[in-house]
Amino acid sequence: MFSSLAASVWLATSSPVAIELPQHSMLAQVVAAQQAAQLVAPEEGVDEVISAEVTPVDGPTDLAPPEEGEVIEEEGANTEAPDAQAPGTQATATGGDAIVVTGSSEVIGRDPLVELNEASFAITQEVDQALVAPIANAYEDRLPRPIRKGLRNFFRNLLEPVNFINYLLQFKPGKAFETLGRFAINSTVGIGGLIDVAERKPFNLPYRRNGFSNTLGYYGVGHGPFLFIPLVGATTLRDLVGSFLDQSVVPLALGKPFNTPYYAIPAYTVNSLEFRIEFDEKLGQIRESDDPYFAARESYLCNREADIAALKNRPPPRDCSIEALMAEGAPLVGVGADLTPADLAAATDANTPALDTETEAEQTPEPVQPVVPQIIYISEEVVQPLPQS
């Protein structure tokens, strides 16, 4: 027998289905209450919106109201999905005194390519463990540290004009001119940016990463659908467009050799290896989590939300640690779009307490007998003098 929670979750995770339920069933009453409350779109962080229509159907029916204390087996109801139909259309039903529920699951743009992203994520993880991680470890351990830092500083210094432009677009002139000062100092005293002199005393100008994606987010442009692209990794539509603009500034402004593969390939390789080294610990936490893809996606989106909030002088909207993200949004065990109703019911039972199916009479507590206090008799010795003779 379906619980109301199991049927509701199944309705949200499957393709459009039509379920014929008796008017007196618990699920029909729950759905009717949801329809009356007019479901609203979820806030950011919720993957799907559930829409439902509740329509009474006239005509005879062979489903009678349950007798008092009777448990109805929902398996007798018509729970088989009809042929595929367009979302939002109402399914036809055979039967009479029943409620036909037509529901559709609508992805709101957070991760519409989840199946493709998961496949790309799985392949990328295999390539990372077999190839990228060993190369990154060798790059870190065997290449002398001054040479590695010099390469990182050189390519990072070339992106300082991009940081400067975006701070101006965000109306932050102070940080913009600090960034311009860093570029001037490191390009001259720092030997073309090989040495980060600006971050040391007496300048004390720290490196701040910025870009066009941050500017778009600063002015309210949403991150768009999440994407996991081979050789790129986790990103979003907004970040992909912003990164393309960031990488186009130097080649367009300076021309050769910065618009040739002789610059693009080494720059991409060094930046990718440095990123892999910097986030090695977090990548290990993602792999060890219960759902690595979910952890990778939520970690990326959470950190990008924190970046935009920092530009607006606001605190991070949530805790971006892997433990907090998994505890906040871990899905039900075994719940998926490809599960059957029986599997979903079993998964729901594993995550929620069992419903009490006792009758009202059995649930009524027995009257408590009043406790009569024990009577305690207290006697005192009475001494009466004898009469005098």
Side-chain angles (χ1 to χ4, degrees), residues 183-253:
F183 179 71
I185 295 170
N186 289 336
S187 298
T188 54
V189 183
I191 314 175
L194 291 174
I195 304 174
D196 194 349
V197 180
E199 70 176 357
R200 306 174 183 176
K201 294 180 180 180
F203 305 108
N204 295 326
L205 297 176
Y207 174 74
R208 298 187 180 95
R209 180 76 179 271
N210 206 342
F212 288 100
S213 176
N214 286 353
T215 300
L216 293 173
Y218 181 80
Y219 287 104
V221 177
H223 54 67
F226 176 80
L227 305 170
F228 201 96
I229 305 175
L231 301 179
V232 175
T235 186
T236 60
L237 181 59
R238 183 190 67 197
D239 291 352
L240 193 63
V241 173
S243 178
F244 174 78
L245 295 176
D246 295 343
Q247 302 299 327
S248 300
V249 171
V250 172
L252 292 176

Side-chain angles (χ1 to χ4, degrees), residues 110-124 225-229 235 293 297:
R110 183 181 180 85
D111 194 359
L113 303 176
V114 57
E115 294 183 359
L116 183 61
N117 287 334
E118 285 182 335
S120 176
F121 175 79
I123 296 174
T124 303
F226 176 80
L227 305 170
F228 201 96
I229 305 175
T235 186
Y293 172 75
R297 182 189 68 185

Side-chain angles (χ1 to χ4, degrees), residues 125 152 163 239 331:
Q125 294 305 300
R152 182 199 66 181
N163 300 338
D239 291 352

